Amino acid sequence: MSRAVHLFSIGTNDYASPFLTNSTILNNYNKSTYVGMVIGNITTVIHGIYKRGGRKFAFINLPDLGCVPGMRIIKSGNNGSCFEEATRLASLHNKALSKLLYELEKQLKGFKYSLFDLNSNLRQRMEHPSKYGFKEGETACCGTGEYRGVLSCGGKRPVKEFQLCKHPQKYVFWDSLHLTERTYKQLADQMWGGATSDSHDVGPYNIKQLFRIP
């Protein structure tokens, strides 16, 4: 357990699902309280792993959830702008996660972590796709409707008809919520070996460095 690196990629479903499923759970809590519940659950699991000997942890913060294709189309008349309610939740989560890890590093002896800034890295690819070898940064390769934001890819969901691009490697998004293989590969490479000294993309360690710690 002490030699392993424990990777956490948590939060997207906690904040996106209430909007995508018409859940009323967010009516029962203010945003800070709801984020606190999610962070509290993560904290409990970290402590549990630590007590069993885990010392090295890797985390991924949340992307700008309101700007993924499936969230842009939630509000009619939104004109393709980002869905701000989801974006605010993701932003609160990212701030709380950074604060949590900073505090745990001081509280738990031997606790080492890597936090990858998925949010800024993905946003760069969405806003400047050609810089990273893509053609399209906002519309999905596979789906239906505006931004191909309806989760219909494959025709096995309520909406059967869907469009599919010819060259997925030219797109940042595969479907309404997920990225293409090429995008994931670029992000994974950054998580694994990205610079930590002159960049805030990943730190205070990258994952490769965590594996080298005895």
Side-chain angles (χ1 to χ4, degrees):
M1 291 287 286
S2 64
R3 292 170 58 191
V5 174
H6 306 275
L7 176 62
F8 286 68
S9 177
I10 291 175
T12 300
N13 290 341
D14 296 283
Y15 304 114
S17 291
F19 300 109
L20 296 172
T21 61
N22 293 320
S23 170
T24 59
I25 189 170
L26 292 177
N27 295 333
N28 301 323
Y29 305 96
N30 63 44
K31 291 180 176 62
S32 295
T33 301
Y34 186 74
V35 170
M37 292 166 58
V38 176
I39 294 295
N41 288 337
I42 294 173
T43 306
T44 298
V45 174
I46 292 172
H47 278 288
I49 295 173
Y50 183 86
K51 287 179 180 178
R52 290 172 177 263
R55 292 295 182 269
K56 299 184 286 187
F57 297 80
F59 300 86
I60 305 168
N61 72 8
L62 296 184
D64 192 344
L65 291 178
C67 295
V68 303
M71 301 297 281
R72 285 180 183 267
I73 65 172
I74 285 181
K75 279 191 175 181
S76 58
N78 208 29
N79 296 322
S81 59
C82 299
F83 184 48
E84 288 302 321
E85 290 180 62
T87 290
R88 283 196 293 270
L89 281 170
S91 179
L92 286 172
H93 174 93
N94 289 345
K95 291 177 182 177
L97 179 61
S98 294
K99 182 180 178 181
L100 169 67
L101 298 178
Y102 177 76
E103 292 175 348
L104 289 177
E105 186 179 37
K106 293 189 295 183
Q107 296 169 5
L108 303 178
K109 184 179 179 180
F111 179 89
K112 306 290 185 184
Y113 73 92
S114 171
L115 176 59
F116 177 59
D117 190 359
L118 173 65
N119 182 33
S120 63
N121 276 275
L122 180 57
R123 189 187 309 116
Q124 285 293 313
R125 285 161 174 78
M126 293 172 64
E127 295 176 355
H128 311 285
S130 60
K131 182 179 177 180
Y132 299 92
F134 299 100
K135 181 180 178 180
E136 175 54 56
E138 296 181 343
T139 296
C141 169
C142 188
T144 302
E146 189 177 11
Y147 293 98
R148 293 184 181 142
V150 177
L151 190 59
S152 59
C153 190
K156 295 184 178 182
R157 297 177 182 274
V159 177
K160 303 301 180 183
E161 298 297 323
F162 64 95
Q163 294 84 44
L164 178 64
C165 71
K166 291 184 178 181
H167 303 288
Q169 70 274 16
K170 295 183 179 180
Y171 285 69
V172 171
F173 285 94
W174 163 249
D175 63 15
S176 62
L177 299 172
H178 305 98
L179 309 175
T180 58
E181 182 178 357
R182 185 180 187 191
T183 309
Y184 280 125
K185 177 62 165 60
Q186 290 185 5
L187 297 174
D189 286 343
Q190 189 67 22
M191 286 173 57
W192 175 257
T196 59
S197 59
D198 58 353
S199 168
H200 296 291
D201 288 349
V202 59
Y205 298 92
N206 60 40
I207 296 180
K208 183 178 182 180
Q209 290 170 334
L210 284 182
F211 273 105
R212 289 179 170 176
I213 297 174

